Amino acid sequence: MLIAIDHGNYAIKTPRFSFVSGLAEHTVRPPMSEEILEYGGKFWTLTTRRLPYMRDKTQDDRYFILTLFAIARELERKGQYSPTERIQLAVGLPPEHYGSLKEKFAAYFKRGGPVKFTYKDRAYTIFIDQVMVFPQAFAAVVPRSSMVVKTLRLFIIDIGGYTTDVLLLQNGKPDLQFCRSLETGVITMNNEVIRKVSTKFDMRIEDDHISAVLQNREICLPDEVKEEIFKAAQLHANDILHQLRELQVDLRANPAIFIGGGSILLQPYLSESPLVGKAEFIDSPNANALGYEMLGESQLARSRG
């Protein structure tokens, strides 16, 4: 079974699921929780408090356990329980890190034997037979390949949790000689907003408060706090665009496709900026995972001959 997973700093995404990259470890089975995963002699649950940023997500087992949650959800979605599954994983890395971390990332998931875990009281044994690693950002525009191929130069701007990744496509092909990663994702904005709101209004807010305000969802916050969030989003969008200019990424002369959860939140400010000419926005936070799935299916089809 092919399973595609986007390991974001803010959220883990499959083509059909998304959950915060937060994990809690328990030495005994936790009460009052339905989604419990037992692995390695410990119990694990998902939380809304994301893990600290890690450039190299292979330094401990936490992202592997988050991967098991994603796999378990996809297996459960099939609607037919099978205790043993052979898995092909399609995953990705930011373009700037792709060359240096590709082999290490693939090896991280290939455990060289069966992986046994229990999810929602059901025992699973999985064999991760193959791990395919693709460039993040490029994968997200794969479904739009016909449009991308016809464009001479196109920048993909992936605003994620901690980083903003930039990739240049020339005639539809990624130019891995020009890929940059800026530490300007929405987590950096959120941290600054949380600090300011705490200082000015003596109020503790969380990431999901900020997302709700920027998505115009109904939420119980004073108007002055909401205004602080809108102002911060405007400044953050401008900061990203000015940092791109410093990298010689001129979005007035070249079209762009904005992807990632951060792009969705900042779209009103990015699209109205005089520093942006022609731009499209992919409004699905699962876009990279969907792209990994398509690329993985294509690679598996070629290998079968």
Side-chain angles (χ1 to χ4, degrees), residues 91-214:
V91 298
L93 286 167
E96 190 173 28
H97 305 158
Y98 182 74
S100 60
L101 292 177
K102 177 184 175 183
E103 298 302 324
K104 187 177 183 182
F105 203 50
Y108 176 68
F109 297 106
K110 291 189 75 173
R111 297 286 161 131
V115 176
K116 298 177 183 291
F117 65 93
T118 300
Y119 176 76
K120 293 184 178 179
D121 295 323
R122 281 182 165 175
Y124 291 91
T125 299
I126 63 170
F127 295 83
I128 301 176
D129 293 331
Q130 186 173 355
V131 181
M132 296 164 282
V133 185
F134 302 106
Q136 198 172 299
F138 173 66
V141 301
V142 167
R144 301 186 178 209
S145 57
S146 58
M147 180 272 287
V148 169
V149 168
K150 296 175 184 176
T151 306
L152 178 64
R153 285 169 54 88
L154 171 73
F155 286 104
I156 305 174
I157 316 293
D158 183 355
I159 305 177
Y162 197 83
T163 61
T164 295
D165 298 308
V166 187
L167 178 63
L168 171 64
L169 297 188
Q170 304 220 53
N171 297 310
K173 296 181 179 178
D175 181 357
L176 293 179
Q177 298 303 308
F178 187 96
C179 49
R180 303 289 186 273
S181 188
L182 306 169
E183 293 185 358
T184 55
V186 290
I187 290 173
T188 59
M189 176 188 77
N190 289 357
N191 289 344
E192 182 64 13
V193 171
I194 290 167
R195 185 191 66 78
K196 283 185 176 179
V197 169
S198 176
T199 301
K200 291 180 68 172
F201 306 104
D202 191 25
M203 179 182 292
R204 172 69 188 181
I205 63 171
E206 304 288 346
D207 292 339
D208 49 1
H209 288 108
I210 298 168
S211 297
V213 169
L214 295 178

Side-chain angles (χ1 to χ4, degrees), residues 32-103:
M32 307 296 290
S33 182
E34 291 184 4
E35 193 174 12
I36 300 170
L37 188 143
E38 185 178 358
Y39 172 74
K42 296 176 182 177
F43 298 93
W44 303 87
T45 55
L46 298 174
T47 77
T48 57
R49 186 171 294 276
R50 51 181 164 71
L51 300 178
Y53 168 67
M54 289 187 285
R55 177 184 180 273
D56 179 3
K57 295 181 173 72
T58 69
Q59 58 190 272
D60 60 39
D61 262 354
R62 287 179 292 177
Y63 270 92
F64 184 75
I65 293 160
L66 288 167
T67 299
L68 293 182
F69 272 101
I71 290 172
R73 286 192 176 188
E74 288 289 338
L75 292 176
E76 185 181 57
R77 184 188 62 85
K78 287 199 314 179
Q80 184 177 359
Y81 171 65
S82 175
T84 303
E85 289 281 355
R86 306 201 80 88
I87 304 293
Q88 296 82 44
L89 276 184
V91 298
L93 286 167
E96 190 173 28
H97 305 158
Y98 182 74
S100 60
L101 292 177
K102 177 184 175 183
E103 298 302 324

Side-chain angles (χ1 to χ4, degrees), residues 194-257:
I194 290 167
R195 185 191 66 78
K196 283 185 176 179
V197 169
S198 176
T199 301
K200 291 180 68 172
F201 306 104
D202 191 25
M203 179 182 292
R204 172 69 188 181
I205 63 171
E206 304 288 346
D207 292 339
D208 49 1
H209 288 108
I210 298 168
S211 297
V213 169
L214 295 178
Q215 292 171 331
N216 293 311
R217 301 205 309 265
E218 196 66 36
I219 188 169
C220 179
L221 282 179
D223 287 343
E224 58 264 34
V225 174
K226 292 180 183 178
E227 191 58 39
E228 192 71 34
I229 292 171
F230 288 129
K231 189 195 308 181
Q234 173 79 73
L235 290 172
H236 196 70
N238 290 341
D239 185 47
I240 289 172
L241 294 174
H242 283 294
Q243 288 197 45
L244 291 175
R245 285 288 306 277
E246 291 180 9
L247 294 176
Q248 309 303 313
V249 177
D250 193 333
L251 300 184
R252 297 168 302 172
N254 300 283
I257 297 180

